[in-house]
Amino acid sequence: MDALEYINNLENGQENVARIANKLFSVVDLPVTANMVYGTYMDRFSDGAIIQNPEGQVIYTSDGRYLGQIGSTYESLQPSDFFKTIVDSVEGCDLEGYDLSKLKYREYKGGKIIQFDLELPEPILFKNKAGKMDEIRTSLSFKTGFAGIMKTMLEVNTFRTVCSNGMKAWIKAKSLAFKHTTRQNAKAVLFCNEVVETTRQAQNLEDYMRALDSVEITDKQIDEYCRKLVGIRLDEDLTSQTCEVSTRRKNIFASLKEAMDVELPRTGRTAFGALQGATYYTNHLASGASEEYVQVAQGAKINTHAQKLSFELAGLN
């Protein structure tokens, strides 16, 4: 990267940081009172139903969204403080190649979970068993939740460009130093160790991808993979009139097999291809398929199970 490109990236990064900062809400922690109602932020002092547990607090966003109820010692981590620490960590921990202009902000579950994603400098590129080039972008994903819904953590996300399949990678999530208590929130921390270690692990994902791609699988193994993922016994005859598998589960199984028919021809009949079939299902065919579904809802659980099954096929567990 020459000096001019570096300066342009720096300026674009600063502009993007400012844009994201302007989108962030504040969190308001309010002691529960006897005449307080669940409702909007503006209704919090109106007369209403008596709330049991006067020791607790209710939590709202500054734009009026209810986030939940929690104990009296809880102090919400402000999104602006979390964001500042992420930016300071990227800028101050000797990390090379990260471009803050690619930093993205997302809200899930009505603001109960917030996420900041920062793409790694280089994508994963390799030729799969089907002879086609695969490009997989990886990113660091900083997440936190409010009212006890989620710890503050750092994960790795992958995004396969050929099919727009996204998932959380199998790298174990790292808990970050922020905790939702008055004592912990007063601490100024950088996530240097966590970011450096997670970056190193993310850069090694290509080795795992290639290992999965090297293991070819049979039609029988594909069928068993789908059955295990859906929770259907391997010996269950789905065409039998006495089959006890629910219609819903049969439909999921059929959609999963459809996803395999899409992915396997362009990835190869491998453990890697089976994983891509599963993520194609969660990203595109599942009921409620969406970014939120694969990040913080049922799709994330299915993808995690699929990763485990693919690793078992490759003997990597």
Side-chain angles (χ1 to χ4, degrees):
M1 181 186 301
D2 60 30
L4 181 58
E5 185 179 1
Y6 174 80
I7 292 172
N8 286 336
N9 285 350
L10 187 62
E11 291 177 349
N12 292 337
Q14 291 171 342
E15 291 175 1
N16 187 43
V17 167
R19 280 194 297 269
I20 293 175
N22 288 332
K23 294 179 181 179
L24 302 178
F25 57 80
S26 298
V27 182
V28 183
D29 299 337
L30 299 167
V32 174
T33 57
N35 66 342
M36 190 174 186
V37 295
Y38 288 111
T40 67
Y41 175 61
M42 298 305 295
D43 290 335
R44 67 186 187 277
F45 295 119
S46 61
D47 292 333
I50 294 177
I51 303 298
Q52 303 300 319
N53 182 22
E55 300 298 323
Q57 301 178 88
V58 288
I59 303 172
Y60 290 87
T61 66
S62 52
D63 55 7
R65 288 174 286 170
Y66 171 73
L67 298 181
Q69 185 172 356
I70 203 69
S72 58
T73 61
Y74 180 97
E75 181 177 318
S76 294
L77 170 61
Q78 291 298 333
S80 58
D81 292 337
F82 187 36
F83 180 53
K84 182 178 185 303
T85 301
I86 294 169
V87 172
D88 289 347
S89 297
V90 174
E91 293 182 333
C93 297
D94 295 324
L95 302 175
E96 295 183 0
Y98 281 106
D99 182 357
L100 287 173
S101 69
K102 296 181 179 180
L103 186 63
K104 296 180 180 179
Y105 169 65
R106 296 175 171 88
E107 295 178 9
Y108 300 124
K109 297 185 179 295
K112 293 180 180 180
I113 296 173
I114 61 173
Q115 177 173 314
F116 300 92
D117 292 324
L118 183 61
E119 190 173 314
L120 267 70
E122 299 293 335
I124 295 171
L125 295 169
F126 71 98
K127 184 178 288 187
N128 63 36
K129 188 66 74 174
K132 298 182 179 181
M133 287 302 298
D134 247 302
E135 178 180 352
I136 300 173
R137 298 175 185 172
T138 55
S139 60
L140 302 182
S141 180
F142 300 84
K143 291 180 180 176
T144 195
F146 303 100
I149 194 172
M150 175 183 285
K151 296 187 298 183
T152 304
M153 63 180 62
L154 172 59
E155 299 175 328
V156 174
N157 284 332
T158 65
F159 182 83
R160 185 166 175 252
T161 57
V162 69
C163 55
S164 300
N165 287 353
M167 68 173 178
K168 294 190 293 184
W170 46 85
I171 294 172
K172 184 178 181 181
K174 288 182 170 53
S175 295
L176 299 176
F178 275 125
K179 293 184 179 179
H180 301 281
T181 66
T182 303
R183 183 176 63 84
Q184 287 289 345
N185 282 351
K187 293 184 177 181
V189 297
L190 294 182
F191 303 141
C192 293
N193 291 339
E194 295 88 347
V195 170
V196 170
E197 176 62 17
T198 304
T199 298
R200 185 191 64 77
Q201 292 179 330
Q203 290 170 338
N204 291 335
L205 280 176
E206 182 175 345
D207 294 337
Y208 290 100
M209 299 288 188
R210 289 182 180 276
L212 295 179
D213 184 64
S214 69
V215 177
E216 298 188 53
I217 56 178
T218 64
D219 289 345
K220 181 174 182 292
Q221 287 174 306
I222 293 168
D223 183 77
E224 291 176 350
Y225 185 99
C226 293
R227 285 171 177 263
K228 290 178 180 178
L229 198 54
V230 178
I232 297 175
R233 291 200 328 267
L234 300 185
D235 61 351
E236 184 74 63
D237 182 359
L238 297 179
T239 63
S240 171
Q241 292 185 348
T242 60
C243 176
E244 298 181 353
V245 177
S246 67
T247 300
R248 176 179 174 275
R249 200 173 292 268
K250 286 181 180 179
N251 289 340
I252 294 174
F253 179 76
S255 293
L256 187 56
K257 294 297 287 285
E258 178 185 345
M260 294 293 174
D261 290 340
V262 171
E263 282 295 347
L264 295 179
R266 62 188 179 193
T267 57
R269 304 175 77 78
T270 63
F272 176 74
L275 176 59
Q276 297 311 315
T279 57
Y280 187 89
Y281 166 76
T282 56
N283 279 266
H284 304 288
L285 301 182
S287 176
S290 64
E291 186 176 279
E292 180 169 318
Y293 181 76
V294 298
Q295 286 294 323
V296 297
Q298 184 63 26
K301 297 178 182 179
I302 295 173
N303 286 345
T304 298
H305 190 190
Q307 292 167 16
K308 180 176 182 294
L309 293 175
S310 289
F311 270 53
E312 288 175 353
L313 286 172
L316 295 175
N317 280 350

